């Protein structure tokens, strides 16, 4: 279950050190942008229908785990790893 649920529109959310009580965000519909910029810990972004984008901007000196999850998607997901 997500700690935070975005809207059905196009949203953006950044996982930062300051909002470290949010570990999982659900991105519903729309072209959402998820930015992983914590320099420690873990975070999960639950994508939804739309063209979602995931960006990693972190200091790699500490262990991190960033996960993208489409396991609850009612349709197949197409992923473009760049």
């Amino acid at each position: 279950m997500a700690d935070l649920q975005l809207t059905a529109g196009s949203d953006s959310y950044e996982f930062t050190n300051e909002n470290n009580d949010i570990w999982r965000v659900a991105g519903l519909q729309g072209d959402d942008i998820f930015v992983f910029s914590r320099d420690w810990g873990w975070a999960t972004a639950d994508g939804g229908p739309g063209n979602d984008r995931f960006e990693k901007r972190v200091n790699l000196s500490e262990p991190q785990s960033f996960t993208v999850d489409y396991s609850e998607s009612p349709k197949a997901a197409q992923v473009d790893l760049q």
Side-chain angles (χ1 to χ4, degrees), residues 47-67:
N51 293 315
D52 299 334
R53 189 171 80 214
F54 305 91
E55 300 176 10
K56 182 178 174 186
R57 299 184 204 153
V58 293
N59 174 357
L60 297 178
S61 64
E62 297 292 328
Q64 298 108 10
S65 175
F66 302 120
T67 307

Side-chain angles (χ1 to χ4, degrees), residues 2 11 20 31 34-35 49 63 65 67 72 78-79:
D11 301 301
N20 62 10
D31 300 339
F34 297 93
V35 178
S65 175
T67 307
E72 295 186 22
Q78 180 178 351
V79 179

Side-chain angles (χ1 to χ4, degrees), residues 9 12-13 16 22 36 40 42 45 65 67-68 79-80:
S12 64
Y13 185 81
T16 66
I22 303 292
F36 299 100
W40 58 271
W42 64 273
S65 175
T67 307
V68 175
V79 179
D80 180 7

